[in-house]
Amino acid sequence: MTALPDLAAIEAMDAADGLRAMRERFILPEGLVYLDGNSLGVASKAAFTELQAAAAEEWGQDLIRSWNTAGWFDMPLTLGDRVGRLVGAAAGQTAVCDTTSINIYKALHAAMALRPDRTIIVAEAGSFPTDIYMAEGVVSTRPGASLRLEGVDAPEIEDLIDGDVAVVLVNHVNYKSGELRDMAALTQKAHEHGALVIWDLCHTAGALPVDLDGAKADFAVGCTYKYLNGGPGAPAFVYAAARHHGAISQPLSGWWGHARPFAFEKHYAAGEGIRRFLCGTQPILSLRALKGALDIWDEVDMAALREKSLGLTDLFIALVEEKCAAYGLEFESSREREKRGSQVSFRHPHAYEIMQALIARGVIGDFRAPSTMRFGFTPLYLRYADVWRAVEILEEILRTGAWQDARFAVRSAVT
Amino acid sequence: MTALPDLAAIEAMDAADGLRAMRERFILPEGLVYLDGNSLGVASKAAFTELQAAAAEEWGQDLIRSWNTAGWFDMPLTLGDRVGRLVGAAAGQTAVCDTTSINIYKALHAAMALRPDRTIIVAEAGSFPTDIYMAEGVVSTRPGASLRLEGVDAPEIEDLIDGDVAVVLVNHVNYKSGELRDMAALTQKAHEHGALVIWDLCHTAGALPVDLDGAKADFAVGCTYKYLNGGPGAPAFVYAAARHHGAISQPLSGWWGHARPFAFEKHYAAGEGIRRFLCGTQPILSLRALKGALDIWDEVDMAALREKSLGLTDLFIALVEEKCAAYGLEFESSREREKRGSQVSFRHPHAYEIMQALIARGVIGDFRAPSTMRFGFTPLYLRYADVWRAVEILEEILRTGAWQDARFAVRSAVT
């Protein structure tokens, strides 16, 4: 970026934004600049409409009959295919169910069962912690298995992959820095050593285009309540490449994954394809809100989404670095577009207090210990003018030292 | 029961029913006799009010802040304690999370880890199948472990318990017959052999009083969308007796069960007490509907509930046996009140078709393969007059052979 745009130029960018009309679909609290869609995406009118129908009509009136008449029984797979389209998965490879943590557990077991002569799981010390915790849980149930961590056993994950590695569990976009990995290259590297890869797409799905099939990914998991806007704690998704389907086994072998769930057989027999990742009864109301959120995505062009995402983060980085240069912020993300997700982080010794001051002034981002301020940019409902406003408020907080009052207020509230 | 009441006497029973006012709290579709609350409980005004607040205000307006301000983060334990009160669990021993299937997996692993020198899981061939399937999943991850099944390896579960048994997984009320086990006696029998017991309370919670603590149960799991009316697929619950808390481990070790979930530590450290059964992010909208449903239960006297439940099932059995004696129904439940849950089953060679005819006439029960008609009686919203009406319609279907048309209609609809 050569010269920074002024507010008039920024408003012109909004006026020319091809995704501009999307903002009308969402429920945006008055006066808020919400830069936390990477933690909990905002509600939409479509999600509320579906939720209302699910509650009042399907549960309230049709009751048990809705398992068939409202398609409840098929939802994990029908919604799975719709999420799959957004992450480059052809139909029949993606299911929506359970939580990201539990889907990691299933995928890790499935991958290790496909590589019975290998004992090593590779993961990242810098991943969202539940990925490591679930890998530790899998290791606890597989005698001889162990974990190698990027950031502990070697600086780069590529250096940990060898012929002993069964599976690499890796985040596509780092939850903290927003750094984006090259999916095709790392998958190929793992495959060269005979290892499989599970991609964690929590901070990717709905934020940028992904091509799981094209990258020859083996498994993927991810979250639907961040950029996909499915609602708080909406069920997660799990992907398994079709070439593995015949050989997949995983120990969370509940009724919904059975080949004949209504035959009430006395032994488990895994269903076909991605169905064998299903386990127990899913939270229908939460699934139906997600269905509404996905209706919006049917109209979104992912290339345009990515272009706007990069436009928003480019602008945020440039404005912060110009206007807040004097206040000791340390840029934690990547300047290279191809290495950047849809979020930007800055470190500061008083990151926690500054974020509290931002939130008190209607700019909502996230603090991540020990010293990161994380700002997520959701292209569907954010405007370039919102970026401008967020930086204006950040600059004011830093210039006036208002975060020191925030710190006091927060500490008072805790004691 | 000596002489059968007539309709006038039945209406007098309803007029004298101490739980009568409870019916007003629920949303009951016009003209329906709903005898399937043991599959999916009906909606309530309170559940809809909470769901609406969770969607419109907490998600819609407060967004990420609701994790603290609306108590989202504490819900698995605050709701757990409220379910705990209904099953005889003192506070701090029950969590609401995930699904019954997944909670069985956790509890089985936890129990086997407490009995490391033992290898056997005892379960029931006649249980709801997911219990067996999950036990098979646990066995698949524990070398040397195996399964003994009541109904396969011996006719009675008591005969399968010996010093090799780590844990007995058993249903309190059988999903099909409604037969009720003696919790205290079976738990004591298991303990005499050094085995632990997991009670599956899916068809118990909200149907009759239970005393998990008094029976010295070790673990329990159960469902909140049947008699508790929490909504379709509402998250399940898991109980662990406080005396086991210090030593519990289970492999679904996700972020929410961590001792310090917001410290983002690089290794799992199990939280205190029942918290260590939590794993991933829960579906908040579904949890909030459950919260509304539980508000109603705060006012319910469980002894009165049980008395009415037995009154309803006594009446149904007596009326069916008198009015439908000529049509080949085979009683599948227990005549002894202390061995009966809140449901009654009859077998018939054409059970499927008869149930379809009942449903077409607004009497909703369940068919369970191969030949069971299952009728659930929810004391909070059913009247004695509903029982009368259901039997009148059943008698008419059997007398006229109308189920033969139903069979034809159903087959046409399928092809």
Side-chain angles (χ1 to χ4, degrees):
Chain A
M1 201 168 287
T2 47
L4 272 176
D6 59 12
L7 186 54
I10 280 168
E11 285 170 350
M13 288 161 74
D14 281 324
D17 172 15
L19 290 170
R20 188 185 185 191
M22 280 289 164
R23 182 173 166 91
E24 301 304 315
R25 308 292 190 88
F26 293 94
I27 291 154
L28 292 159
E30 193 65 32
L32 212 63
V33 177
Y34 192 66
L35 305 182
D36 212 2
N38 53 337
S39 190
L40 172 61
V42 306
S44 58
K45 295 165 193 169
F48 283 0
T49 301
E50 290 290 317
L51 184 62
Q52 172 70 14
E57 293 160 31
E58 297 168 14
W59 180 21
Q61 293 298 314
D62 297 337
L63 283 156
I64 192 70
R65 295 167 289 193
S66 294
W67 279 98
N68 298 312
T69 56
W72 289 356
F73 182 71
D74 295 322
M75 265 205 295
L77 303 191
T78 54
L79 298 188
D81 280 345
R82 295 176 72 187
V83 171
R85 190 187 71 80
L86 303 176
V87 292
Q93 302 177 104
T94 311
V96 169
C97 56
D98 299 320
T99 65
T100 302
S101 297
I102 282 171
N103 289 336
I104 288 172
Y105 187 86
K106 297 171 191 167
L108 280 171
H109 268 294
M112 295 199 79
L114 289 169
R115 292 292 179 271
D117 300 332
R118 298 174 175 220
T119 56
I120 307 291
I121 299 171
V122 169
E124 309 154 280
S127 76
F128 185 76
T130 215
D131 295 49
I132 315 173
Y133 303 161
M134 296 313 295
E136 289 178 333
V138 170
V139 164
S140 78
T141 68
R142 297 189 82 95
S146 65
L147 201 54
R148 283 182 193 162
L149 288 183
E150 181 197 51
V152 173
D153 299 305
E156 298 299 330
I157 202 162
E158 288 80 358
D159 300 325
L160 294 172
I161 305 173
D162 61 28
D164 296 325
V165 172
V167 56
V168 179
L169 170 63
V170 65
N171 284 258
H172 190 221
V173 174
N174 184 278
Y175 81 101
K176 204 165 160 181
S177 69
E179 183 145 343
L180 172 63
R181 292 195 190 260
D182 183 333
M183 181 180 283
L186 183 57
T187 302
Q188 188 185 336
K189 164 90 180 175
H191 288 176
E192 283 165 7
H193 291 277
L196 302 169
V197 184
I198 302 169
W199 285 96
D200 182 333
L201 303 182
C202 279
H203 289 270
T204 305
L208 56 144
V210 198
D211 187 6
L212 284 171
D213 288 344
K216 301 199 190 316
D218 300 290
F219 299 93
V221 299
C223 167
T224 67
Y225 54 76
K226 298 179 184 287
Y227 292 98
L228 294 177
N229 310 307
F237 66 89
V238 57
Y239 158 95
R243 66 183 176 279
H244 295 309
H245 283 188
I248 283 174
S249 67
Q250 61 86 14
L252 296 176
S253 44
W255 76 269
W256 210 330
H258 197 282
R260 295 164 294 278
F262 300 110
F264 292 82
E265 296 179 8
K266 296 199 192 314
H267 293 286
Y268 185 73
E272 289 291 310
I274 194 68
R275 184 178 292 278
R276 64 181 60 174
F277 278 95
L278 303 184
C279 180
T281 307
Q282 293 302 300
I284 300 294
L285 298 176
S286 286
L287 275 177
R288 287 289 262 108
L290 170 60
K291 178 175 180 293
L294 291 173
D295 287 344
I296 294 172
W297 285 97
D298 286 348
E299 298 169 44
V300 176
D301 173 71
M302 295 304 281
L305 182 91
R306 175 63 170 161
E307 201 46 45
K308 183 171 172 193
S309 159
L310 289 168
L312 291 166
T313 52
D314 275 345
L315 179 64
F316 185 72
I317 295 166
L319 288 175
V320 171
E321 297 205 324
E322 186 194 73
K323 292 175 185 282
C324 307
Y327 307 112
L329 293 172
E330 184 189 348
F331 182 58
E332 196 180 349
S333 301
S334 179
R335 274 171 229 286
E336 294 175 64
R337 289 180 137 210
E338 64 271 24
K339 291 191 179 169
R340 192 192 313 148
S342 201
Q343 66 186 63
V344 172
S345 298
F346 287 92
R347 287 198 200 91
H348 190 280
H350 295 289
Y352 180 79
E353 292 83 355
I354 297 167
M355 185 53 75
Q356 291 301 317
L358 281 165
I359 291 170
R361 286 158 182 77
V363 178
I364 307 220
D366 253 334
F367 166 78
R368 285 290 177 263
S371 59
T372 294
M373 289 185 287
R374 192 181 75 165
F375 302 92
F377 295 87
T378 304
L380 290 192
Y381 50 78
L382 281 181
R383 298 165 300 197
Y384 292 99
D386 293 320
V387 174
W388 174 273
R389 181 143 170 261
V391 179
E392 273 204 316
I393 293 171
L394 174 63
E395 189 274 338
E396 188 200 334
I397 289 167
L398 292 167
R399 177 170 40 79
T400 61
W403 55 268
Q404 298 179 36
D405 304 331
R407 180 177 54 177
F408 179 74
V410 169
R411 290 206 174 145
S412 303
V414 168
T415 51
Chain B
M1 202 170 288
T2 48
L4 272 177
D6 59 11
L7 185 55
I10 280 168
E11 285 170 349
M13 288 161 73
D14 280 325
D17 173 15
L19 289 170
R20 188 185 183 190
M22 280 289 165
R23 182 173 166 90
E24 301 304 317
R25 309 291 191 89
F26 293 94
I27 291 154
L28 293 159
E30 194 64 32
L32 213 63
V33 178
Y34 192 67
L35 306 181
D36 212 1
N38 53 339
S39 190
L40 173 62
V42 306
S44 58
K45 295 164 193 170
F48 282 0
T49 301
E50 291 290 317
L51 184 61
Q52 173 70 16
E57 294 160 32
E58 297 168 14
W59 179 22
Q61 294 297 315
D62 298 336
L63 282 156
I64 193 69
R65 296 167 287 193
S66 294
W67 278 98
N68 298 312
T69 56
W72 288 357
F73 183 71
D74 295 322
M75 267 205 295
L77 303 191
T78 54
L79 298 188
D81 280 344
R82 295 176 70 186
V83 172
R85 190 187 73 79
L86 303 176
V87 291
Q93 302 177 104
T94 312
V96 168
C97 56
D98 298 321
T99 65
T100 301
S101 298
I102 282 172
N103 288 336
I104 288 172
Y105 188 85
K106 298 171 191 167
L108 280 171
H109 268 293
M112 295 199 80
L114 289 169
R115 293 291 180 273
D117 301 333
R118 298 173 175 223
T119 56
I120 308 290
I121 299 170
V122 168
E124 309 155 280
S127 77
F128 185 76
T130 215
D131 295 48
I132 316 173
Y133 303 161
M134 296 312 296
E136 289 179 333
V138 170
V139 164
S140 78
T141 68
R142 298 190 81 96
S146 66
L147 202 54
R148 283 182 193 161
L149 287 183
E150 182 198 49
V152 173
D153 299 305
E156 299 298 332
I157 202 162
E158 288 79 359
D159 299 325
L160 294 172
I161 305 173
D162 61 27
D164 295 328
V165 173
V167 55
V168 179
L169 169 63
V170 64
N171 284 257
H172 190 221
V173 174
N174 183 278
Y175 80 101
K176 203 165 160 181
S177 69
E179 183 146 343
L180 171 63
R181 291 195 191 260
D182 184 331
M183 180 180 283
L186 183 57
T187 302
Q188 188 185 335
K189 165 90 180 173
H191 287 177
E192 283 166 6
H193 291 277
L196 301 169
V197 185
I198 302 168
W199 285 96
D200 182 334
L201 303 181
C202 279
H203 289 271
T204 305
L208 55 143
V210 198
D211 188 5
L212 284 172
D213 287 344
K216 301 199 190 317
D218 300 290
F219 299 93
V221 298
C223 168
T224 66
Y225 54 75
K226 298 179 186 286
Y227 292 98
L228 294 178
N229 310 307
F237 67 89
V238 57
Y239 158 95
R243 65 185 177 279
H244 295 310
H245 283 187
I248 284 174
S249 66
Q250 61 86 15
L252 295 176
S253 43
W255 75 269
W256 209 330
H258 197 283
R260 295 164 294 278
F262 299 110
F264 293 81
E265 296 178 7
K266 296 198 191 319
H267 293 286
Y268 186 72
E272 289 291 311
I274 194 68
R275 184 178 293 276
R276 64 182 59 176
F277 277 95
L278 303 184
C279 180
T281 307
Q282 293 301 301
I284 299 294
L285 298 175
S286 286
L287 275 178
R288 288 288 262 108
L290 171 59
K291 177 175 181 293
L294 291 173
D295 287 345
I296 293 172
W297 284 97
D298 286 347
E299 298 169 43
V300 176
D301 174 72
M302 295 303 283
L305 182 92
R306 175 64 171 162
E307 201 46 46
K308 182 171 173 193
S309 159
L310 289 168
L312 292 165
T313 53
D314 275 345
L315 180 64
F316 185 73
I317 295 166
L319 289 174
V320 171
E321 296 205 324
E322 187 193 70
K323 292 175 184 284
C324 307
Y327 308 112
L329 293 173
E330 184 190 345
F331 182 59
E332 196 180 349
S333 301
S334 180
R335 274 172 229 287
E336 294 174 64
R337 288 181 138 209
E338 63 273 25
K339 291 189 180 171
R340 194 193 311 147
S342 201
Q343 66 187 63
V344 171
S345 297
F346 287 92
R347 286 197 201 92
H348 190 281
H350 295 288
Y352 180 79
E353 292 84 354
I354 297 167
M355 185 53 74
Q356 291 300 317
L358 281 166
I359 291 170
R361 286 158 181 78
V363 178
I364 306 220
D366 253 333
F367 167 76
R368 285 291 175 260
S371 59
T372 294
M373 288 185 288
R374 192 182 76 165
F375 302 92
F377 295 87
T378 304
L380 291 192
Y381 51 77
L382 281 181
R383 298 165 300 198
Y384 292 100
D386 293 320
V387 174
W388 174 273
R389 178 140 174 265
V391 179
E392 274 205 316
I393 293 172
L394 173 63
E395 189 274 337
E396 189 201 335
I397 289 167
L398 292 166
R399 175 170 41 79
T400 61
W403 56 267
Q404 297 178 38
D405 304 331
R407 179 177 54 175
F408 178 76
V410 168
R411 289 201 175 150
S412 302
V414 168
T415 51

